[in-house]
Amino acid sequence: MFTGIVECMGKVVEFTRLDTTAAGGNGASLAISEARSILGDCHLGDSIAINGTCLTVTEFSEDTFKVGLAPETLNRTNLGTLQAGDSVNLERALAAGHRFGGHFVQGHIDSTANIIEIKPEDNSVWYKLQVDDPKLMPYIIPKGFIAIDGTSLTVCDVNDDEHWFTIMMIAYTQTHVVMPTKSVGDRVNIEVDMLGKYVEKVTTSILRGSSDADGSSTSSYIEKVVEKVLQKTK
């Protein structure tokens, strides 16, 4: 679990499509440097979010660490397009007892979004992003949460028909995340608010009359409750 509060920005050392080393596991891997500030308490197997993607540390030193990338990760995120020297957002998994400053972020990227407009306003910047997967639009609501490359941000405007939304980034955030290095046409990772997904699943199950654990129909249960209420009003 993460919060979307980026701890530091690292640099890509190398993206390897087929890493035959022990740490690479005969698959794709990504090595990140300039991460000293988050590696002091690191252990093999720890989770670190890179551009919002929860990944497992397979090797590390004082300043650098490596993670493996599964095919699903490469298909769903922008990590496969990274090149040496690119900056990335980094966040360690949330530790118990720490202040929770962002929102619930799983590090499970839903899709990518294309930056279609960047517009400064005073010392802030507007970003308009078009979602690659339109099915995610129901979970993107004005003033709701969204994680963009692992950064917890507030949604401003939403256009469901054209599949875009906007966010505004304040000056402080601009200096602590990778978003300002992006240009129109670049793709970013997005993770929608997971609470919206759970609410949808529960309400959909109820409306469809799915079965409860004891086998009774949820719709039947609701009918009984309504019937009792009506009896009391007679």
Side-chain angles (χ1 to χ4, degrees):
M1 182 68 68
F2 304 89
T3 69
I5 304 300
V6 175
E7 294 187 271
C8 71
M9 288 186 284
K11 291 281 188 184
V12 174
V13 176
E14 184 179 20
F15 168 69
T16 306
R17 183 66 63 173
L18 179 59
D19 188 341
T20 57
T21 66
N26 292 313
S29 71
L30 190 61
I32 305 295
S33 66
E34 299 185 18
R36 183 184 300 268
S37 64
I38 65 168
L39 294 177
D41 59 352
C42 186
H43 300 84
L44 291 177
D46 280 358
S47 295
I48 294 179
I50 301 177
N51 279 357
T53 310
C54 178
L55 297 164
T56 301
V57 175
T58 59
E59 181 179 270
F60 69 95
S61 63
E62 290 186 356
D63 180 71
T64 304
F65 70 97
K66 180 184 284 189
V67 296
L69 302 173
E72 167 72 2
T73 302
L74 294 174
N75 291 335
R76 197 173 286 266
T77 72
N78 62 13
L79 298 184
T81 65
L82 292 174
Q83 299 179 0
D86 286 347
S87 296
V88 290
N89 292 329
L90 301 176
E91 182 190 356
R92 290 170 291 184
L94 178 65
H98 283 228
R99 186 183 298 276
F100 197 104
H103 73 280
F104 291 112
V105 177
Q106 293 178 296
H108 302 161
I109 301 302
D110 291 299
S111 183
T112 54
N114 181 33
I115 300 174
I116 58 176
E117 185 177 304
I118 301 174
K119 185 173 65 176
E121 182 176 335
D122 296 331
N123 68 340
S124 297
V125 180
W126 284 99
Y127 290 90
K128 181 187 285 188
L129 303 104
Q130 191 165 46
V131 178
D132 290 336
D133 184 356
K135 294 192 294 294
L136 294 174
M137 292 307 297
Y139 312 112
I140 303 174
I141 61 173
K143 307 310 175 189
F145 294 120
I146 193 163
I148 301 179
D149 275 343
T151 306
S152 175
L153 294 162
T154 302
V155 176
C156 296
D157 307 303
V158 178
N159 187 311
D160 290 317
D161 295 331
E162 298 179 7
H163 314 140
W164 60 256
F165 66 94
T166 65
I167 60 98
M168 177 174 264
M169 187 171 289
I170 64 171
Y172 178 86
T173 305
Q174 292 171 44
T175 63
H176 289 79
V177 301
V178 301
M179 192 76 163
T181 68
K182 307 285 186 178
S183 304
V184 170
D186 286 345
R187 276 187 157 71
V188 294
N189 296 328
I190 62 168
E191 180 186 333
V192 298
D193 187 2
M194 68 175 185
L195 296 180
K197 297 178 187 178
Y198 286 125
V199 170
E200 181 193 46
K201 180 152 189 169
V202 171
T203 55
T204 299
S205 296
I206 291 174
L207 292 174
R208 289 179 179 174
S210 63
S211 296
D212 293 324
D214 62 358
S216 63
S217 169
T218 304
S219 59
S220 297
Y221 173 75
I222 294 175
E223 289 173 3
K224 291 178 182 179
V225 172
V226 172
E227 184 179 346
K228 287 183 179 180
V229 171
L230 291 176
Q231 288 177 350
K232 289 181 180 179
T233 59
K234 289 181 180 179

